[in-house]
Amino acid sequence: MTGPASYPVTVLRMFLVSLLAIVTSVYYPLMVVGNFDSRISLVLMFASLLINGWDLIANYQIYRTEKGEIGTLSREMGIGSKRRWLAVDILAVIPYELLGLHAFILLRILKLLRLSQYQKIWRHRDLRRNDTLYIVFFLFWMTLAAHWLACGWILLEPPRTDIDGATLYIEALYWTIQTLTTVGFGDYTAETRGQMIYSMVVMMFGVGIYGWLIGNVASILSKRDSVEQFYHDNMERLKTIVSNRGLPPELQKRIREYYDYIYSRSYSGSDEQALLATLPASLKHDVQVSLKQEVIRMIPALTESPENLIKDIATELETEIFIPNDTIFEEGEEGDKMYFLLSGELEVIRQKDGKIATLKPGDFFGEMALFEQTQRNATIKSVSYSETYSLDKYAFNSVLLKYPGVAAIIEQKAKERKSSTNQ
Ligand code: CMP
């Protein structure tokens, strides 16, 4: 037996199976209510034998070889109920025409179940487009359902000689869409008892689908932009606090500016934190490494750092954002962490000398108090919106011990700064 097929081959197989399932599910109901074209039927029979046969063998292999390992294709393809799925595959491959069982060809339509499964896998694997795919697939199923219902309507129509087949179908589809969307202009109405019963069922189906669709679209739209949601939620909270507790206008302004900045950057720090909180430690660590490593590499002091350093400090680095005029810390305070500036501009100010330096993205600061275990020798103020990564003193000390190269760069800088400050 051959091993599992490569990814492009699997995708090709799924595509062909889906295409055939769609063609048969459109053509066979038409065939039941209209004319039977023996050539098309023959082509579809051979296509089913080939494509569905290939699919049956491939699925059988998947179920046999991958005994439901978590996260594998077989699990997504329903390993738990493999007998049911294989039954669907077998029913779709049988050449009913050759056996004289023409009515049974409709069983091939069951293969659509595989298509719905592939759609689920697709949505599962393409999380970014999940909602869009959800709506596209829904429209697809609605169109197919409308087609089947139209065929059903034709079946119930008393024999008509006044119009051709195509017009008959369009009329039936027109009736179906009207009834499904609950518009019902009334220009095509049920005449026979069968049609009346059928109309009632379709109307109920239509109302159900309509309600379900509106509910789903509303929920998709409401969660579409989590950053915007985050912003509005925080603004609401701010409004409540302001009216209940009366925050000073200056403080209100700063909070508002902070959220405006976050919103303008489409920065959803809170989402990241909320997601990370749900993950087990090992996964959390890997996600943080992946999110932060690009930024860590932008900091010259850490550019040459080995992969391991990045892995070690990714979880330790905390994002801190400052708005214009914020004081990050004051001269004379105890130092408990150092910072790496990612964006924005900061001023280094000493009581004695005034502004002594400007810090730009990639610079670090707050290292001197940690090195020398003294107080901060200057005040750091944010000139613009600034984003930093902070590293607490314990993590800082362990980095110095483990990575002498990085320690040397930071120490060298601290010395230069000290001598320039003392001049
Ligand atoms: P620390 O003493 O912990 O807190 C103040 C920080 O300002 C200090 O660490 C340095 O990181 C930074 N700093 C001090 N002097 C200078 C300088 N001359 N140029 C740039 N940064 C400085």
Side-chain angles (χ1 to χ4, degrees):
M1 257 299 150
T2 51
S6 68
Y7 184 69
V9 177
T10 308
V11 172
L12 175 71
R13 175 168 56 81
M14 289 176 166
F15 172 74
L16 290 177
V17 166
S18 306
L19 189 67
L20 185 64
I22 294 170
V23 173
T24 49
S25 60
V26 170
Y27 177 72
Y28 287 152
L30 271 182
M31 206 180 85
V32 171
V33 299
N35 284 332
F36 175 76
D37 184 328
S38 57
R39 272 167 314 172
I40 300 183
S41 302
L42 208 64
V43 170
L44 284 181
M45 187 193 79
F46 280 114
S48 290
L49 266 176
L50 278 178
I51 298 173
N52 291 340
W54 175 22
D55 192 49
L56 173 65
I57 295 170
N59 288 336
Y60 178 71
Q61 276 184 17
I62 290 176
Y63 289 140
R64 222 179 63 104
T65 52
E66 298 181 32
K67 292 210 174 55
E69 286 164 40
I70 290 175
T72 59
L73 187 64
S74 58
R75 201 183 82 91
E76 286 176 303
M77 285 178 60
I79 186 81
S81 46
K82 59 180 167 185
R83 267 203 218 123
R84 211 170 51 207
W85 280 113
L86 284 176
V88 168
D89 292 339
I90 292 169
L91 287 175
V93 88
I94 298 173
Y96 301 103
E97 294 88 335
L98 293 183
L99 304 172
L101 301 166
H102 289 279
F104 286 90
I105 55 172
L106 287 177
L107 285 174
R108 279 193 200 128
I109 295 179
L110 279 177
K111 196 75 181 177
L112 277 178
L113 291 172
R114 279 285 187 203
L115 173 61
S116 84
Q117 194 186 34
Y118 297 158
Q119 290 178 342
K120 242 190 239 161
I121 296 176
W122 189 353
R123 281 181 54 209
H124 192 177
R125 296 197 172 188
D126 192 353
L127 284 179
R128 211 143 60 99
R129 275 182 284 263
N130 189 312
D131 289 341
T132 315
L133 290 174
Y134 181 78
I135 294 181
V136 170
F137 294 155
F138 175 80
L139 291 176
F140 163 80
W141 288 109
M142 274 319 288
T143 312
L144 201 57
H147 169 71
W148 288 340
L149 291 171
C151 290
W153 180 255
I154 295 175
L155 208 59
L156 295 171
E157 279 265 28
R160 287 178 65 173
T161 47
D162 52 332
I163 49 173
D164 62 302
T167 317
L168 187 66
Y169 174 74
I170 291 172
E171 264 187 27
L173 197 60
Y174 175 73
W175 171 87
T176 310
I177 305 277
Q178 267 188 19
T179 314
L180 270 183
T181 52
T182 68
V183 179
F185 291 121
D187 45 358
Y188 288 94
T189 46
E191 279 162 22
T192 63
R193 268 205 290 186
Q195 282 183 322
M196 283 180 196
I197 295 170
Y198 190 66
S199 301
M200 285 190 285
V201 174
V202 175
M203 278 183 226
M204 271 152 62
F205 177 65
V207 172
I209 291 288
Y210 209 61
W212 184 76
L213 176 70
I214 294 200
N216 273 289
V217 170
S219 99
I220 287 174
L221 289 181
S222 71
K223 64 179 187 203
R224 196 179 39 144
D225 195 340
S226 60
V227 178
E228 193 174 332
Q229 192 62 41
F230 176 63
Y231 176 82
H232 288 300
D233 286 353
N234 284 313
M235 282 302 161
E236 279 306 314
R237 246 174 251 145
L238 180 62
K239 263 199 268 172
T240 318
I241 295 174
V242 168
S243 58
N244 291 348
R245 309 291 295 268
L247 280 184
E250 169 58 23
L251 204 51
Q252 285 178 35
K253 182 169 157 272
R254 285 175 58 198
I255 300 177
R256 232 182 12 248
E257 281 178 358
Y258 169 74
Y259 285 123
D260 282 346
Y261 172 71
I262 289 202
Y263 185 52
S264 72
R265 292 274 325 261
S266 289
Y267 172 83
S268 56
S270 82
D271 286 349
E272 275 170 29
Q273 291 312 321
L275 170 77
L276 286 169
T278 64
L279 296 177
S282 60
L283 256 183
K284 192 185 325 196
H285 178 255
D286 289 353
V287 172
Q288 290 204 327
V289 171
S290 159
L291 289 175
K292 289 180 180 166
Q293 66 178 349
E294 226 174 283
V295 187
I296 297 176
R297 284 182 204 282
M298 276 167 37
I299 302 165
L302 305 175
T303 319
E304 300 299 322
S305 57
E307 287 291 299
N308 285 348
L309 168 66
I310 294 179
K311 286 195 181 142
D312 279 352
I313 61 172
T315 32
E316 309 290 346
L317 292 171
E318 296 280 347
T319 306
E320 292 190 35
I321 295 175
F322 301 97
I323 63 169
N325 287 325
D326 260 358
T327 301
I328 295 158
F329 52 71
E330 300 257 12
E331 185 177 339
E333 275 178 17
E334 289 299 319
D336 56 353
K337 45 189 166 180
M338 75 166 290
Y339 298 79
F340 297 94
L341 181 57
L342 306 179
S343 67
E345 194 178 300
L346 305 173
E347 279 179 349
V348 184
I349 304 162
R350 275 172 66 85
Q351 274 162 4
K352 213 162 59 161
D353 317 295
K355 176 178 146 187
I356 54 167
T358 305
L359 300 173
K360 301 269 182 208
D363 287 341
F364 55 83
F365 58 97
E367 78 294 356
M368 288 164 79
L370 299 193
F371 252 123
E372 299 178 1
Q373 299 186 354
T374 54
Q375 288 138 344
R376 301 289 192 195
N377 81 350
T379 296
I380 307 281
K381 266 193 139 179
S382 183
V383 180
S384 58
Y385 287 98
S386 311
E387 261 181 71
T388 63
Y389 272 160
S390 67
L391 190 66
D392 74 25
K393 61 179 171 193
Y394 306 104
F396 173 78
N397 286 332
S398 71
V399 168
L400 294 194
L401 279 177
K402 227 168 147 184
Y403 301 95
V406 176
I409 297 176
I410 297 180
E411 190 171 11
Q412 175 64 25
K413 194 79 184 170
K415 275 188 190 146
E416 280 170 29
R417 284 174 172 171
K418 193 172 179 195
S419 64
S420 82
T421 314
N422 290 339
Q423 271 166 15

